[in-house]
């Protein structure tokens, strides 16, 4: 079989036409902007990779046949002749040279993408998910690491290596119940989603050492291996014909947030605040005694209410009353906002503020303040968020917070798991932007639908590497991957550390050193950093008389604030 120099060729030279006229995704009468695969169809159709029908429809639920897949794959790879590397001549019992798509089917078979059944190709039979996995894995040179564990795909299944490969490359994540459903037929919408994920991957991965290019690898894994051999190495995505990647982070940030800190003010997090507490965040003293500006952006968020969690959690039963309690807590005299304002006022400066929006529960009826019980659905959840936004805005106007700039809202949840939440976020962002405010987000390292953050209406996102805990292995891999994604999707990065006690300080040294190191390597000191500090780690760095804490404080200030 001919060895295809395919991964890069495919991504850089695709012309894939499914049907007749050129109709953009936004014009398909059966693909509204709220459709789950809208972004994928929009991406592919914008490059005429996939088109609709003469009647203006896309027909997302129509199945892809094996012949359709063969035709599309050969056109994608610009292959016009069968491979000459096959050991025996291939013929079909159910197709002749005059059959539609015969040449493309023959090319696909000589390259090993599909299998025959008793000599038959079965061109009009629907393509199944396991067959698609095999075709994509072979065509794009994907190889897995046997890490996938779908409950309905045994490692002894002949299709497992291909399914594992496309799972490894994030072409698929399977279904929410951890199944892959290999025998399920592939629809046009599903195929668009798969192709979109393939085409939006970098053509290759460039490795640099201290800014100088030292190599180029076809996969992140091989680039990571190369990076370990060079000091101060960084990994950067190579652009394709269809996607231009930056080699810098936070390029899609519309807020211009340079350095923000997360202040947790929920129940059993930090209950009360003082001006002196915030003084350790608004300014710092250099070794020679100078006072300099510290964090200028404060993200106020509470994870817990009195009885459960305010994030997406099985113990989130929060109703209007619980959200009202959080608002009261935030604006209280000894709450975060008034004491932050006092600190900023004492230094004659202004601090930017974002306030978190709790996650509206999804599984049970919602109790309003007037004791009315309403059904839990998209409309009632949006009504709850609208009420919250109005109340926060009203409270802000009613308090004297002249030394704070209200910038907008922070979405408390760290992932987007269900389609209803996609619709909810789009509506929430529209309301926030109508009020002239920003909307930001900090997805965790394995967040679902992370790449779609801009389509939900967020103005900035700050990806969490989740590499800070002592028990986490492969910290450097996690950091390289996070900074790579930050370049690919235009996000910032969340720097992370726990609230260590003096006795625990040694456990955090390795991770904090790495975070500071990678921040400098990738230019995070220029823009796009938010700081997760547990509950009060910055205060501890500034006040604890311990060499590790003093060193962390110096590293933090030297890396992000010395300029």
């Amino acid at each position: 079989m001919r060895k295809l120099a395919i991964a890069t060729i495919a991504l850089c030279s695709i012309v894939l036409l499914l049907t007749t006229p050129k109709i953009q995704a936004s014009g398909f009468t059966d693909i509204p902007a709220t459709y789950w695969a809208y972004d994928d169809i929009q991406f592919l159709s914008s490059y005429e990779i996939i088109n609709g029908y003469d009647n203006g429809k896309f027909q997302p639920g129509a199945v892809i046949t094996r012949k359709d897949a063969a035709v599309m794959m050969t056109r994608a790879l610009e292959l016009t002749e069968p491979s000459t590397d096959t050991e025996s001549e291939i013929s079909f019992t159910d197709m002749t040279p005059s059959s539609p798509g015969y040449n493309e089917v023959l090319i696909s078979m000589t390259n090993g993408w599909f299998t025959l059944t008793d000599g038959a190709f079965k061109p009009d039979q629907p393509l199944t998910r396991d067959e698609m996995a095999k075709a994509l894995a072979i065509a794009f040179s994907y190889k897995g690491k046997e890490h996938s564990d779908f409950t309905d795909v045994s490692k002894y299944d002949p299709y497992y290596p291909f399914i594992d490969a496309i799972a490894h490359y994030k072409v698929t994540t399977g279904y929410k119940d951890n199944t892959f459903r290999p025998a399920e037929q592939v629809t046009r919408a599903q195929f668009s989603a798969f192709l979109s994920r393939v085409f939006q991957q970098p053509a290759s991965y460039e490795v640099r050492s201290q800014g100088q290019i030292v190599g180029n690898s076809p996969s992140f894994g091989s680039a990571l291996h190369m990076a370990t051999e060079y000091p101060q190495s960084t990994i950067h995505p190579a652009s394709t014909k269809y996607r231009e990647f930056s080699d810098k982070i936070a390029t899609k940030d519309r807020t211009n947030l340079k350095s923000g800190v997360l202040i947790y003010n929920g129940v059993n997090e930090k209950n009360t605040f003082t001006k002196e507490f915030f003084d350790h965040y608004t300014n710092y003293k250099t070794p020679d005694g100078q006072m300099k500006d510290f964090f200028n952006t404060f993200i106020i968020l509470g994870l817990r209410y009195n009885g459960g969690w305010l994030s997406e959690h099985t113990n989130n039963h929060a109703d209007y009353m619980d959200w009202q309690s959080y608002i009261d807590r935030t604006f209280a005299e000894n709450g975060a906002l008034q004491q932050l304002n006092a600190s900023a006022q004492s230094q004659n400066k202004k601090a930017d503020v974002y306030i978190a929006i709790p996650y509206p529960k999804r599984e049970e009826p919602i109790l309003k303040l007037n004791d009315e019980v309403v059904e839990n659905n998209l409309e009632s959840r949006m009504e709850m968020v609208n009420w919250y936004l109005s109340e926060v805005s009203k409270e802000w106007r009613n308090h004297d917070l002249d030394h704070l700039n209200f910038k907008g809202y922070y979405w408390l949840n760290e992932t987007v798991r269900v389609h209803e939440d996609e619709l909810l976020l789009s509506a929430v962002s529209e309301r926030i932007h109508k009020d002239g405010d920003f909307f930001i987000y900090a997805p965790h390292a394995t967040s679902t639908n992370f790449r779609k953050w801009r389509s939900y209406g967020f103005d900035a996102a700050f990806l969490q590497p989740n590499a800070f805990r002592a028990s986490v292995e492969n910290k450097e891999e996690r950091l390289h991957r996070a900074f790579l994604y930050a370049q690919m999707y235009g996000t910032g990065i969340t720097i992370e550390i726990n609230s260590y006690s003096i006795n625990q300080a040694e456990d955090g040294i390795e991770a904090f050193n790495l975070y500071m190191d990678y921040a400098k390597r990738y230019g995070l000191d220029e823009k796009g950093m938010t700081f997760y500090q547990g509950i009060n780690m910055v205060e501890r760095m500034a006040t604890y008389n311990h060499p590790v804490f003093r060193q962390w404080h110096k590293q933090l200030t030297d890396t992000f604030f010395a300029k």
Side-chain angles (χ1 to χ4, degrees):
M1 184 183 301
R2 185 180 67 181
K3 291 190 182 203
L4 307 165
I6 342 190
T8 301
I9 295 174
L11 292 170
C12 296
S13 58
I14 295 170
V15 179
L16 188 54
L17 302 174
L18 280 180
T19 51
T20 42
K22 302 174 183 177
I23 305 172
Q24 299 305 306
S26 58
F28 296 140
T29 58
D30 54 351
I31 305 293
T34 53
Y35 186 67
W36 70 270
Y38 175 86
D39 291 325
D40 298 309
I41 295 168
Q42 177 81 356
F43 173 76
L44 296 179
S45 66
S46 68
Y47 289 102
E48 300 177 17
I49 294 171
I50 189 168
N51 295 317
Y53 293 91
D54 287 328
N55 61 3
K57 294 183 180 295
F58 183 79
Q59 297 186 11
V63 298
I64 296 288
T65 67
R66 285 164 55 85
K67 180 187 69 179
D68 289 339
V71 170
M72 290 184 289
M73 297 289 287
T74 53
R75 289 181 180 177
L77 296 171
E78 297 186 338
L79 301 176
T80 58
E81 299 293 335
S83 171
T84 58
D85 292 346
T86 52
E87 296 180 359
S88 59
E89 185 176 340
I90 295 176
S91 60
F92 313 106
T93 60
D94 55 351
M95 295 185 75
T96 68
S98 62
S99 299
Y102 175 84
N103 190 55
E104 289 86 350
V105 169
L106 181 61
I107 291 172
S108 72
M109 288 304 305
T110 59
N111 285 297
W113 301 344
F114 299 98
T115 56
L116 300 178
T117 303
D118 298 326
F121 183 76
K122 300 183 178 181
D124 297 321
Q125 183 170 297
L127 181 71
T128 57
R129 285 169 59 84
D130 55 2
E131 292 172 331
M132 182 185 63
K134 178 179 178 180
L136 290 175
I138 293 177
F140 293 97
S141 300
Y142 288 159
K143 295 186 183 298
K145 293 188 176 182
E146 297 188 6
H147 289 169
S148 61
D149 57 351
F150 297 113
T151 57
D152 56 350
V153 182
S154 164
K155 289 193 175 184
Y156 300 103
D157 188 308
Y159 284 96
Y160 176 82
F162 311 117
I163 294 170
D164 178 60
I166 67 170
H168 177 68
Y169 279 87
K170 309 297 184 185
V171 176
T172 181
T173 55
Y175 290 89
K176 288 189 293 184
D177 61 359
N178 199 35
T179 61
F180 182 77
R181 304 178 193 175
E184 193 172 89
Q185 297 174 359
V186 180
T187 67
R188 281 168 55 82
Q190 292 168 339
F191 197 76
S192 297
F194 279 104
L195 283 180
S196 174
R197 291 166 196 161
V198 170
F199 298 155
Q200 294 195 60
Q201 295 300 309
S204 60
Y205 299 84
E206 183 179 274
V207 179
R208 301 176 190 171
S209 176
Q210 299 179 336
Q212 302 298 312
I213 299 173
V214 295
N216 208 295
S217 296
S219 70
F220 172 74
S222 56
L224 183 66
H225 179 74
M226 182 185 300
T228 61
E229 301 176 1
Y230 294 91
Q232 298 298 302
S233 60
T234 55
I235 302 175
H236 305 272
S239 297
T240 73
K241 178 180 178 179
Y242 300 103
R243 280 215 56 188
E244 182 176 348
F245 296 108
S246 174
D247 63 354
K248 299 185 183 301
I249 64 170
T251 55
K252 304 300 182 183
D253 180 354
R254 293 195 287 262
T255 69
N256 201 34
L257 193 158
K258 184 177 185 296
S259 56
V261 59
L262 280 70
I263 304 294
Y264 284 85
N265 70 328
V267 172
N268 296 326
E269 292 163 16
K270 186 164 179 58
N271 293 316
T272 60
F273 293 85
T274 64
K275 167 193 169 295
E276 289 70 29
F277 170 85
F278 279 113
D279 286 345
H280 299 302
Y281 293 79
T282 52
N283 68 91
Y284 72 96
K285 183 181 291 187
T286 64
D288 61 359
Q290 297 182 60
M291 298 303 296
K292 289 196 171 185
D293 289 339
F294 211 174
F295 293 99
N296 66 349
T297 301
F298 293 79
I299 301 165
I300 312 300
L301 68 159
L303 286 177
R304 300 173 181 87
Y305 68 99
N306 189 17
W309 291 74
L310 291 170
S311 59
E312 185 180 13
H313 193 279
T314 55
N315 198 24
N316 180 351
H317 309 288
D319 291 307
Y320 277 70
M321 178 180 65
D322 304 301
W323 285 28
Q324 180 65 64
S325 295
Y326 177 68
I327 294 173
D328 295 342
R329 183 185 188 89
T330 300
F331 284 90
E333 184 177 350
N334 60 359
L337 293 179
Q338 293 209 46
Q339 295 306 314
L340 172 59
N341 184 74
S343 177
Q345 183 178 21
S346 69
Q347 298 165 51
N348 195 28
K349 65 171 67 170
K350 284 201 171 187
D352 292 341
V353 170
Y354 290 86
I355 297 177
I357 301 174
Y359 180 78
K361 63 182 179 181
R362 211 175 61 240
E363 302 295 339
E364 59 189 43
I366 297 173
L367 178 64
K368 293 187 171 184
L369 292 178
N370 62 2
D371 292 333
E372 178 188 0
V373 178
V374 296
E375 178 185 354
N376 190 316
N377 54 36
L378 177 59
E379 182 180 358
S380 61
R381 296 175 73 213
M382 185 61 214
E383 182 183 1
M384 190 175 185
V385 174
N386 273 329
W387 167 83
Y388 178 84
L389 299 179
S390 296
E391 290 299 307
V392 168
S393 179
K394 181 177 70 176
E395 289 295 324
W396 189 277
R397 293 192 303 270
N398 289 340
H399 287 81
D400 183 12
L401 301 171
D402 291 345
H403 288 268
L404 302 183
N405 294 316
F406 180 71
K407 300 293 288 186
Y409 295 92
Y410 172 89
W411 186 243
L412 182 62
N413 220 44
E414 297 176 353
T415 188
V416 182
R417 302 178 191 275
V418 298
H419 182 51
E420 183 177 297
D421 283 354
E422 295 185 305
L423 302 179
L424 176 68
L425 282 170
S426 296
V428 171
S429 64
E430 183 177 353
R431 158 68 192 273
I432 290 173
H433 292 148
K434 185 177 179 180
D435 292 343
D437 300 321
F438 287 125
F439 193 26
I440 64 175
Y441 173 51
H444 62 66
T446 58
S447 173
T448 55
N449 297 313
F450 156 63
R451 64 189 178 88
K452 297 169 67 174
W453 67 272
R454 294 174 66 209
S455 72
Y456 300 146
F458 290 116
D459 297 293
F462 303 89
L463 183 61
Q464 304 175 40
N466 297 143
F468 64 97
R469 293 186 176 87
S471 59
V472 171
E473 298 179 353
N474 303 320
K475 289 182 173 62
E476 295 201 49
E477 177 179 348
R478 280 177 175 259
L479 288 166
H480 271 306
R481 188 183 296 277
F483 278 96
L484 174 69
Y485 286 165
Q487 295 169 78
M488 290 173 59
Y489 302 113
T491 72
I493 291 287
T494 299
I495 295 291
E496 301 159 303
I497 188 172
N498 270 337
S499 285
Y500 288 106
S501 67
I502 288 178
N503 293 334
Q504 298 168 323
E506 296 293 329
D507 295 335
I509 292 176
E510 178 193 17
F512 197 74
N513 286 347
L514 286 173
Y515 270 90
M516 295 298 103
D517 179 19
Y518 277 67
K520 293 174 185 175
R521 293 192 202 185
Y522 283 96
L524 185 62
D525 53 331
E526 299 294 332
K527 181 185 176 183
M529 184 274 280
T530 59
F531 192 71
Y532 168 79
Q533 48 135 16
I535 303 299
N536 62 340
M537 195 60 217
V538 172
E539 180 193 36
R540 295 184 183 188
M541 290 178 185
T543 59
Y544 283 19
N545 185 22
H546 187 279
V548 172
F549 286 76
R550 290 197 298 271
Q551 177 60 29
W552 283 344
H553 194 266
K554 186 175 188 307
Q555 286 176 282
L556 179 62
T557 54
D558 285 355
T559 301
F560 294 104
F561 302 97
K563 294 179 183 179

